[in-house]
Amino acid sequence: DIWGSLNVATSSTPTLMANTATGMVGIGTANPTSALTIVGGELEDHMQDWAAGMELYGHSDTSFRSFIINMYHSHGTQAAPGALVSGDTLAGINFGGYRGDSYQTGTRMQSFATENWTSTSTGAALTFSTVSNGHIGVTERMRIDQSGNVGISTTSPATSLQVAGTLPTIRIGASSLAGCLEMGNSDGTAAINYITALNGVLAATTTKPSMCQ
């Protein structure tokens, strides 16, 4: 048994630091500030872009045996976990950087419970947030709700895809690139309609035009 700290280093550079008093582990740092803190050195030109990150490799001839990252949350304690309630965060990932005086989150991906969890019901949603130029603090931009509906600038999408916000606009194609909209029959019968536009005039056909990929 080791009580206190375990520090593995090359020269004066810490490689692995395990603080048994706090349970924190540091890789590349002697002062971990979380359960696992990974610090990379200065990136040289010959290093990979992700030299300060982490790589996982899995080798198996079985198709479903590959790496997956699991992040779980519960109420209570590890020995006696409790069920989540609606609004609880499941997990999240922050992407950030140094702003001159401190580190700041720039974008965020987060999941949360949308109902009280039971053994037969575990509704959840996933959100994506960014920060506008000239501001600090993330704002939710898009969410996939518990029904699979996607909302942009709305936290409660009412349809498969809802775009809200101030003056919401959807663009298909570009000024110099062709655009095409495909949709099924509104009565549910089996057919695809192709909707195109030319100089302000809409056209619909069931024969696929050349500009519809």
Side-chain angles (χ1 to χ4, degrees), residues 94-142:
N94 287 332
F95 305 87
Y98 196 72
R99 67 182 193 183
D101 59 349
S102 64
Y103 285 95
Q104 181 75 37
T105 298
T107 57
R108 173 180 296 158
M109 183 168 60
Q110 187 171 355
S111 179
F112 61 92
T114 55
E115 63 181 351
N116 295 341
W117 278 31
T118 69
S119 60
T120 59
S121 188
T122 56
L126 182 65
T127 63
F128 300 84
S129 303
T130 66
V131 179
S132 300
N133 287 349
H135 296 79
I136 60 173
V138 295
T139 299
E140 180 181 326
R141 308 298 186 185
M142 185 177 75

Coordinates of all heavy atoms in Angstrom, one line a residue, residues 94-142:
N94 N -17.1 19.9 -22.5 CA -16.8 21.3 -22.8 C -15.5 21.4 -23.6 O -14.6 20.7 -23.4 CB -16.5 22.1 -21.5 CG -17.8 22.4 -20.7 OD1 -18.9 22.5 -21.3 ND2 -17.7 22.5 -19.4
F95 N -15.6 22.3 -24.6 CA -14.4 22.6 -25.5 C -14.0 24.0 -25.2 O -14.9 24.9 -25.4 CB -14.7 22.4 -27.0 CG -15.3 21.0 -27.3 CD1 -16.6 20.8 -27.2 CD2 -14.4 20.0 -27.7 CE1 -17.1 19.5 -27.5 CE2 -14.9 18.7 -28.0 CZ -16.3 18.5 -27.9
G96 N -12.8 24.3 -24.8 CA -12.5 25.7 -24.4 C -11.0 26.0 -24.7 O -10.2 25.2 -25.2
G97 N -10.6 27.2 -24.2 CA -9.3 27.6 -24.4 C -8.9 28.8 -23.5 O -9.8 29.2 -22.7
Y98 N -7.7 29.2 -23.5 CA -7.2 30.3 -22.7 C -7.6 31.7 -23.3 O -7.3 31.9 -24.5 CB -5.7 30.2 -22.4 CG -5.3 31.0 -21.3 CD1 -5.5 30.6 -20.0 CD2 -4.5 32.2 -21.5 CE1 -5.1 31.4 -18.9 CE2 -4.0 32.9 -20.4 CZ -4.4 32.5 -19.1 OH -3.9 33.3 -18.0
R99 N -8.2 32.6 -22.5 CA -8.6 33.8 -23.1 C -7.8 35.0 -22.7 O -8.1 36.2 -23.0 CB -10.1 34.1 -22.6 CG -10.2 34.4 -21.1 CD -11.7 34.6 -20.7 NE -11.8 35.1 -19.4 CZ -12.9 35.3 -18.8 NH1 -14.1 35.1 -19.4 NH2 -12.9 35.8 -17.5
G100 N -6.6 34.8 -22.0 CA -5.7 35.8 -21.6 C -5.6 36.0 -20.1 O -4.6 36.4 -19.6
D101 N -6.7 35.6 -19.4 CA -6.7 35.7 -17.9 C -7.2 34.4 -17.2 O -6.9 34.2 -16.1 CB -7.5 36.9 -17.4 CG -9.0 36.8 -17.8 OD1 -9.3 35.9 -18.6 OD2 -9.8 37.6 -17.3
S102 N -7.8 33.6 -18.0 CA -8.3 32.3 -17.5 C -8.8 31.4 -18.6 O -8.9 31.9 -19.8 CB -9.5 32.5 -16.5 OG -10.6 33.1 -17.1
Y103 N -9.1 30.2 -18.3 CA -9.7 29.3 -19.3 C -11.2 29.5 -19.4 O -11.8 29.7 -18.4 CB -9.3 27.8 -19.0 CG -7.9 27.5 -19.3 CD1 -6.9 27.5 -18.3 CD2 -7.5 27.1 -20.6 CE1 -5.6 27.2 -18.6 CE2 -6.2 26.8 -20.9 CZ -5.2 26.9 -19.8 OH -3.9 26.6 -20.1
Q104 N -11.7 29.4 -20.6 CA -13.1 29.7 -20.9 C -13.7 28.6 -21.8 O -13.0 28.2 -22.8 CB -13.3 31.1 -21.5 CG -14.7 31.5 -21.8 CD -15.4 31.9 -20.5 OE1 -14.9 32.5 -19.7 NE2 -16.7 31.6 -20.5
T105 N -14.9 28.2 -21.6 CA -15.6 27.3 -22.4 C -16.1 28.0 -23.7 O -16.7 29.1 -23.6 CB -16.8 26.7 -21.7 OG1 -16.4 25.9 -20.6 CG2 -17.6 25.7 -22.6
G106 N -15.8 27.4 -24.9 CA -16.2 28.0 -26.1 C -17.5 27.3 -26.7 O -18.3 27.9 -27.3
T107 N -17.5 25.9 -26.6 CA -18.6 25.1 -27.1 C -18.9 24.0 -26.1 O -18.0 23.6 -25.3 CB -18.4 24.5 -28.5 OG1 -17.2 23.7 -28.4 CG2 -18.2 25.6 -29.5
R108 N -20.1 23.5 -26.1 CA -20.5 22.5 -25.1 C -21.5 21.5 -25.8 O -22.4 21.9 -26.5 CB -21.1 23.1 -23.9 CG -21.7 22.1 -22.9 CD -22.3 22.8 -21.7 NE -21.3 23.5 -20.9 CZ -21.5 24.6 -20.1 NH1 -22.8 25.0 -20.0 NH2 -20.5 25.1 -19.5
M109 N -21.3 20.2 -25.4 CA -22.3 19.2 -25.8 C -22.7 18.6 -24.5 O -21.9 18.2 -23.7 CB -21.6 18.1 -26.7 CG -22.6 17.1 -27.2 SD -21.9 16.1 -28.5 CE -20.4 15.4 -27.7
Q110 N -24.0 18.5 -24.2 CA -24.5 18.1 -22.9 C -25.8 17.3 -23.1 O -26.6 17.6 -23.9 CB -24.8 19.3 -22.1 CG -25.2 19.0 -20.6 CD -25.2 20.3 -19.8 OE1 -24.9 21.4 -20.3 NE2 -25.6 20.2 -18.6
S111 N -26.0 16.3 -22.2 CA -27.2 15.5 -22.2 C -27.8 15.5 -20.8 O -27.1 15.6 -19.8 CB -26.8 14.0 -22.5 OG -28.0 13.2 -22.5
F112 N -29.1 15.5 -20.8 CA -29.8 15.5 -19.5 C -31.1 14.7 -19.6 O -31.7 14.5 -20.6 CB -30.1 17.0 -19.1 CG -31.0 17.7 -20.1 CD1 -32.4 17.7 -20.0 CD2 -30.5 18.4 -21.2 CE1 -33.2 18.4 -20.9 CE2 -31.3 19.0 -22.1 CZ -32.6 19.0 -22.0
A113 N -31.6 14.3 -18.4 CA -32.8 13.5 -18.3 C -34.0 14.4 -18.5 O -34.1 15.6 -18.1 CB -32.9 12.9 -16.9
T114 N -35.0 13.9 -19.2 CA -36.2 14.6 -19.5 C -37.4 14.1 -18.7 O -38.6 14.5 -19.0 CB -36.5 14.6 -21.0 OG1 -36.6 13.2 -21.5 CG2 -35.5 15.3 -21.8
E115 N -37.2 13.1 -17.8 CA -38.2 12.6 -17.0 C -37.5 11.9 -15.8 O -36.3 11.7 -15.8 CB -39.0 11.5 -17.7 CG -38.3 10.3 -18.2 CD -39.1 9.3 -18.9 OE1 -40.3 9.5 -18.9 OE2 -38.5 8.4 -19.5
N116 N -38.2 11.6 -14.8 CA -37.7 10.8 -13.7 C -37.4 9.4 -14.1 O -38.2 8.7 -14.7 CB -38.7 10.8 -12.5 CG -38.9 12.1 -11.9 OD1 -38.2 13.1 -12.1 ND2 -40.0 12.3 -11.2
W117 N -36.2 9.0 -13.9 CA -35.7 7.7 -14.4 C -36.2 6.5 -13.5 O -36.2 6.6 -12.3 CB -34.2 7.7 -14.5 CG -33.7 8.3 -15.8 CD1 -34.3 9.4 -16.4 CD2 -32.5 8.0 -16.5 NE1 -33.6 9.7 -17.5 CE2 -32.5 8.9 -17.6 CE3 -31.5 7.1 -16.4 CZ2 -31.4 8.9 -18.5 CZ3 -30.5 7.0 -17.3 CH2 -30.4 7.9 -18.4
T118 N -36.6 5.5 -14.2 CA -37.0 4.2 -13.6 C -36.4 3.1 -14.4 O -35.7 3.3 -15.4 CB -38.6 4.1 -13.5 OG1 -39.1 3.8 -14.9 CG2 -39.2 5.3 -13.0
S119 N -36.7 1.8 -13.9 CA -36.2 0.7 -14.6 C -36.8 0.5 -16.0 O -36.3 -0.3 -16.8 CB -36.4 -0.6 -13.8 OG -37.8 -0.8 -13.6
T120 N -37.9 1.2 -16.3 CA -38.5 1.0 -17.6 C -38.6 2.4 -18.4 O -39.3 2.4 -19.4 CB -40.0 0.5 -17.4 OG1 -40.7 1.3 -16.6 CG2 -39.9 -0.9 -16.8
S121 N -38.1 3.4 -17.9 CA -38.2 4.7 -18.5 C -37.0 5.6 -18.2 O -36.7 6.0 -17.1 CB -39.5 5.4 -18.0 OG -39.8 6.6 -18.7
T122 N -36.3 5.9 -19.3 CA -35.0 6.7 -19.2 C -34.9 7.8 -20.3 O -34.0 7.8 -21.0 CB -33.8 5.8 -19.2 OG1 -33.8 5.1 -20.4 CG2 -33.8 4.9 -18.0
G123 N -35.9 8.6 -20.4 CA -35.9 9.7 -21.4 C -34.8 10.7 -21.2 O -34.5 11.1 -20.1
A124 N -34.2 11.1 -22.4 CA -33.1 12.0 -22.3 C -33.0 12.8 -23.6 O -33.5 12.4 -24.6 CB -31.8 11.2 -22.1
A125 N -32.3 14.0 -23.5 CA -32.1 14.8 -24.7 C -30.7 15.2 -24.8 O -29.9 15.0 -23.8 CB -33.0 16.1 -24.5
L126 N -30.3 15.7 -25.9 CA -28.9 16.1 -26.2 C -28.8 17.5 -26.7 O -29.6 17.8 -27.7 CB -28.2 15.1 -27.2 CG -26.7 15.3 -27.5 CD1 -25.9 15.1 -26.3 CD2 -26.3 14.4 -28.6
T127 N -28.0 18.4 -26.2 CA -27.9 19.8 -26.6 C -26.5 20.1 -27.1 O -25.5 19.5 -26.7 CB -28.4 20.7 -25.5 OG1 -27.4 20.6 -24.4 CG2 -29.8 20.4 -25.0
F128 N -26.5 21.2 -27.9 CA -25.2 21.7 -28.5 C -25.2 23.2 -28.3 O -26.2 23.9 -28.6 CB -25.1 21.3 -29.9 CG -25.1 19.9 -30.2 CD1 -26.3 19.2 -30.4 CD2 -23.9 19.1 -30.4 CE1 -26.3 17.8 -30.6 CE2 -23.9 17.8 -30.6 CZ -25.1 17.1 -30.8
S129 N -24.1 23.7 -27.7 CA -24.1 25.2 -27.4 C -22.8 25.8 -27.9 O -21.8 25.1 -28.0 CB -24.1 25.4 -25.9 OG -25.3 24.8 -25.3
T130 N -22.9 27.1 -28.3 CA -21.7 27.8 -28.8 C -21.7 29.2 -28.1 O -22.6 29.6 -27.4 CB -21.7 28.0 -30.3 OG1 -22.8 28.8 -30.7 CG2 -21.8 26.6 -31.0
V131 N -20.7 30.0 -28.4 CA -20.6 31.3 -27.9 C -20.5 32.3 -29.1 O -19.6 32.1 -30.0 CB -19.3 31.5 -27.0 CG1 -19.2 33.0 -26.5 CG2 -19.4 30.6 -25.8
S132 N -21.3 33.3 -29.1 CA -21.2 34.3 -30.2 C -20.0 35.1 -30.1 O -19.4 35.4 -29.0 CB -22.5 35.2 -30.2 OG -23.7 34.5 -30.3
N133 N -19.5 35.6 -31.3 CA -18.4 36.6 -31.3 C -18.7 37.8 -30.4 O -19.8 38.3 -30.5 CB -18.0 37.0 -32.7 CG -17.4 35.9 -33.5 OD1 -16.9 34.9 -33.0 ND2 -17.2 36.2 -34.8
G134 N -17.7 38.3 -29.6 CA -17.9 39.4 -28.8 C -18.6 39.2 -27.5 O -19.0 40.1 -26.8
H135 N -18.9 37.9 -27.1 CA -19.5 37.5 -25.9 C -18.8 36.4 -25.2 O -17.8 35.8 -25.7 CB -21.0 37.0 -26.2 CG -21.9 38.1 -26.8 ND1 -21.8 38.4 -28.1 CD2 -22.8 38.8 -26.3 CE1 -22.7 39.3 -28.4 NE2 -23.3 39.6 -27.3
I136 N -19.2 36.2 -23.9 CA -18.7 35.0 -23.2 C -19.9 34.3 -22.6 O -21.0 34.8 -22.5 CB -17.7 35.4 -22.0 CG1 -18.5 36.3 -21.0 CG2 -16.5 36.1 -22.5 CD1 -17.6 36.6 -19.8
G137 N -19.7 33.0 -22.4 CA -20.8 32.2 -21.9 C -21.5 31.5 -23.0 O -21.9 32.1 -24.0
V138 N -21.7 30.2 -22.9 CA -22.3 29.4 -24.0 C -23.8 29.6 -24.0 O -24.5 29.8 -23.0 CB -22.0 27.9 -23.8 CG1 -20.5 27.6 -24.0 CG2 -22.5 27.4 -22.5
T139 N -24.4 29.5 -25.2 CA -25.9 29.6 -25.4 C -26.3 28.3 -26.2 O -25.6 28.0 -27.2 CB -26.2 30.8 -26.2 OG1 -25.9 32.0 -25.4 CG2 -27.7 30.9 -26.4
E140 N -27.3 27.7 -25.8 CA -27.8 26.5 -26.5 C -28.3 26.9 -27.9 O -29.0 27.9 -28.1 CB -29.0 25.8 -25.8 CG -29.5 24.6 -26.5 CD -30.7 23.9 -25.8 OE1 -30.7 23.9 -24.5 OE2 -31.5 23.4 -26.5
R141 N -27.8 26.2 -28.9 CA -28.1 26.4 -30.3 C -29.0 25.4 -30.9 O -29.9 25.6 -31.7 CB -26.9 26.6 -31.2 CG -25.9 27.6 -30.6 CD -26.4 29.0 -30.6 NE -25.3 29.9 -30.2 CZ -25.5 31.2 -30.0 NH1 -26.7 31.7 -30.0 NH2 -24.5 32.0 -29.6
M142 N -28.8 24.1 -30.5 CA -29.5 23.0 -31.1 C -29.7 21.9 -30.1 O -28.9 21.7 -29.2 CB -28.8 22.4 -32.3 CG -29.5 21.4 -33.1 SD -28.6 20.8 -34.6 CE -27.4 19.8 -33.8

